[in-house]
Amino acid sequence: MHRSTIYWFRSDLRLHDNPALLRSAAESQQLSCVYLHDPAQDAEVCHGFRRMGSHRRRFLADGLANLASRLASLGQRLHVLRGRPGAILPALAAATGASHIFCEEIAAPEEQAELEALRRAGLQVESFWQSSLLDPADLPFDIDAMPRVFTAFRQRIEAAGVTPHTTLSAPSTLPPPPSSWPALSQAICLDASSAGTSIATFLGADEAAADDPRSAFPLRSAAFAGGESAALQHLAQYFESDLPQHYKQTRNGLIGTTYSTKFSPWLASGALSPRRVHEALRAHERRLGANENTYWIWFELLWRDYFRFLHRQHGSRLYRAAGLSQRSAPPHDPVAFRRWCEGRTGEPFIDAAMKELAATGYLSNRMRQNAASFLVNDLVCDFRAGAAWFESMLIDYDPCSNQGNWLYLAGRGTDPRDGRRFEPLRQAAMYDSDGAYRGLWNATC
Ligand code: FAD
């Protein structure tokens, strides 16, 4: 038992199915709950836009406010601090007398480097892998020998009958916070009395535009707000409905809130555990029946795991210009890239997608594929610039899924077809035959 520890929330903004938090609570007499906002998120990347755009800031602010109120119901407080982990956490540990830091493990290189910096600073860091559907220890292969192609990965898992672990309940009690807390600049404490507004201001989320009524993920409405409460409610509603019974048929839709599950923003911020999604899926299947449509939700969640495990396997190699290929650095055209970001390519199907993305922070999987292919194959731009724009814009930005999908489409990952070109006219004819999607987003320009 430690006298005092710090729980560092990362992309796991939840109390349910959070093994790291439970362990931290079980081993501590006093617990400090913190979330860090890295100033690098406020800086411009080399392409001239902020690393974290306004939609994700808004979703994150709501998620943190919700987490704070759930912690407050257990007598805890959430402290949100601005700074780099390697600079802030050692000072905080010294000030609170904390011997250990508990947190989740994230396979992406920057997130790994954060933990290394803490360990170099002499801190005892206990990190737990808890973001995937399947436990890496249950995989029927060593991570170093993971099948390179997704289909083989999935088939090996299914043949071995690997299933996710049962989820853990949220803690019913937590150790109290330390009686005194150091005075820190660049910090706010979210307790029971603080409203979402202060955290929104702190994160610079205030400037986010009001919800666009056309949004497929209207994050300003309570049903689509950031945080565990809305996530669990959405999960329950989705699986109580018969939408999963048609998922495979509707998932390539482009308009509206119901064509796909819309779980991704909550999964990416960790407000929702993928294992909890799986339990709800199986309960739905017991009630309404299992079929190809419900199977396809499992199938898509396996894609998410695949990119996570790929990061465990290859780490920073995935962030080289060549990715996993032998290809030379991709060409880039900054002017064409800017036109793509702004939805001014002149190709109405792609422009509609880019306008939707900028206006709402969300884009269907179909249009992400089209937009990415167009940038790489038609505009002959660097996929890394596209990945950076998606990172800035997407409310569901997740390093593993984003980098993995971009590499895949750019032919620098694990696609056996060596890259994919989506022909916009053909795609528009297949998925927007009546022009409703193009009309919806291009009408105002
Ligand atoms: P659904 O169709 O309902 O799928 C259910 C869940 O399965 C999703 O919530 C997601 O967790 C997972 N999933 C589905 N498709 C994929 C996929 N191709 N790769 C990984 N997981 C998948 N997803 C992110 O969560 N964050 C990202 O940053 C991200 N960047 C992407 C970039 C590109 C270029 C492309 C082509 C796809 C990207 N995706 C990303 C994957 C996918 O587009 C979204 O997960 C999906 O559109 C989210 O909507 P949904 O929850 O309704 O998905």
Side-chain angles (χ1 to χ4, degrees):
M1 178 70 77
H2 310 298
R3 192 176 69 74
S4 177
T5 67
I6 294 174
Y7 190 77
W8 172 26
F9 283 97
R10 304 178 87 197
S11 298
D12 59 338
L13 305 185
R14 64 174 184 273
L15 301 188
H16 76 277
D17 200 30
N18 191 328
L21 178 63
L22 287 181
R23 181 72 77 82
S24 171
E27 294 188 7
S28 319
Q29 290 168 346
Q30 293 183 335
L31 183 66
S32 303
C33 294
V34 302
Y35 177 84
L36 305 185
H37 178 70
D38 192 327
Q41 299 293 337
D42 302 331
E44 282 195 356
V45 296
C46 61
H47 307 288
F49 46 81
R50 271 192 318 176
R51 190 155 181 194
M52 188 194 287
S54 57
H55 298 298
R56 188 147 53 89
R57 274 169 208 272
R58 177 77 247 175
F59 194 75
L60 176 62
D62 289 343
L64 290 171
N66 182 253
L67 178 65
S69 84
R70 291 174 85 93
L71 286 169
S73 70
L74 298 175
Q76 259 293 347
R77 297 184 204 114
L78 181 65
H79 296 269
V80 181
L81 315 172
R82 181 177 284 115
R84 307 216 75 149
I88 284 208
L89 289 175
L92 194 61
T96 57
S99 56
H100 286 64
I101 293 185
F102 289 77
C103 63
E104 79 158 337
E105 176 94 23
I106 303 175
E110 285 187 10
E111 285 75 0
Q112 289 283 312
E114 290 175 344
L115 295 193
E116 281 155 25
L118 295 181
R119 290 184 173 123
R120 270 200 312 276
L123 290 182
Q124 307 261 20
V125 182
E126 301 213 16
S127 59
F128 295 72
W129 180 264
Q130 54 182 15
S131 67
S132 55
L133 185 63
L134 302 175
D135 191 313
D138 296 340
L139 295 177
F141 38 76
D142 286 341
I143 207 78
D144 292 338
M146 176 170 137
R148 197 174 165 90
V149 176
F150 171 74
T151 304
F153 165 85
R154 177 181 58 78
Q155 286 169 344
R156 290 278 302 275
I157 284 168
E158 291 178 343
V162 183
T163 51
H165 291 192
T166 309
T167 56
L168 302 170
S169 303
S172 51
T173 58
L174 285 175
S179 44
S180 67
W181 181 259
L184 298 161
S185 61
Q186 302 286 300
I188 62 168
C189 172
L190 298 180
D191 55 23
S193 60
S194 36
T197 344
S198 53
I199 179 66
T201 310
F202 188 78
L203 291 181
D206 284 345
E207 79 267 28
D211 243 350
D212 190 308
R214 300 167 292 180
S215 178
F217 196 101
L219 73 161
R220 300 301 286 269
S221 76
F224 289 88
E228 186 176 8
S229 300
L232 293 175
Q233 207 171 355
H234 179 78
L235 181 76
Q237 273 171 4
Y238 182 76
F239 283 114
E240 273 160 22
S241 76
D242 72 344
L243 290 170
Q245 295 288 314
H246 312 285
Y247 169 77
K248 188 165 183 243
Q249 291 144 21
T250 60
R251 60 179 284 273
N252 280 313
L254 309 182
I255 301 174
T257 55
T258 56
Y259 59 78
S260 61
T261 67
K262 304 292 159 60
F263 293 152
S264 60
W266 290 298
L267 284 170
S269 58
L272 186 58
S273 151
R275 291 180 291 254
R276 179 59 71 88
V277 176
H278 177 259
E279 284 175 353
L281 169 63
R282 294 293 175 243
H284 172 94
E285 288 181 333
R286 284 192 294 275
R287 203 166 54 81
L288 291 183
N291 57 34
E292 199 190 11
N293 287 286
T294 58
Y295 167 79
W296 220 259
I297 297 174
W298 152 268
F299 179 100
E300 294 299 341
L301 288 170
L302 278 189
W303 266 111
R304 181 176 177 275
D305 267 20
Y306 171 71
F307 288 130
R308 284 181 142 58
F309 296 140
L310 201 66
H311 272 70
R312 281 176 73 110
Q313 186 181 21
H314 294 291
S316 56
R317 286 186 68 212
L318 297 173
Y319 291 78
R320 303 179 313 179
L324 298 179
S325 75
Q326 304 297 324
R327 298 170 66 174
S328 52
H332 191 56
D333 176 347
V335 176
F337 173 64
R338 177 51 57 191
R339 288 204 324 265
W340 177 81
C341 294
E342 293 171 357
R344 292 189 298 106
T345 67
E347 171 49 65
F349 195 48
I350 303 302
D351 288 349
M354 301 315 290
K355 285 174 192 161
E356 180 188 5
L357 178 61
T360 70
Y362 182 83
L363 201 55
S364 64
N365 185 58
R366 177 59 43 190
M367 292 316 299
R368 290 182 206 205
Q369 291 175 318
N370 271 288
S373 164
F374 194 80
L375 182 75
V376 171
N377 297 309
D378 295 66
L379 299 179
V380 199
C381 286
D382 190 334
F383 75 96
R384 292 171 296 176
W389 180 247
F390 271 32
E391 172 175 352
S392 181
M393 289 293 114
L394 284 173
I395 46 173
D396 66 15
Y397 166 69
D398 170 284
C400 301
S401 291
N402 197 48
Q403 191 71 9
N405 275 289
W406 273 97
L407 280 173
Y408 194 82
L409 278 150
R412 289 160 193 264
T414 55
D415 186 354
R417 276 206 243 157
D418 202 22
R420 298 193 176 222
R421 177 162 191 276
F422 289 66
E423 211 292 296
L425 290 179
R426 196 160 164 266
Q427 288 279 314
M430 282 172 73
Y431 298 104
D432 187 34
S433 55
D434 60 0
Y437 181 71
R438 278 161 290 176
L440 185 66
W441 292 102
N442 289 323
T444 50
C445 65

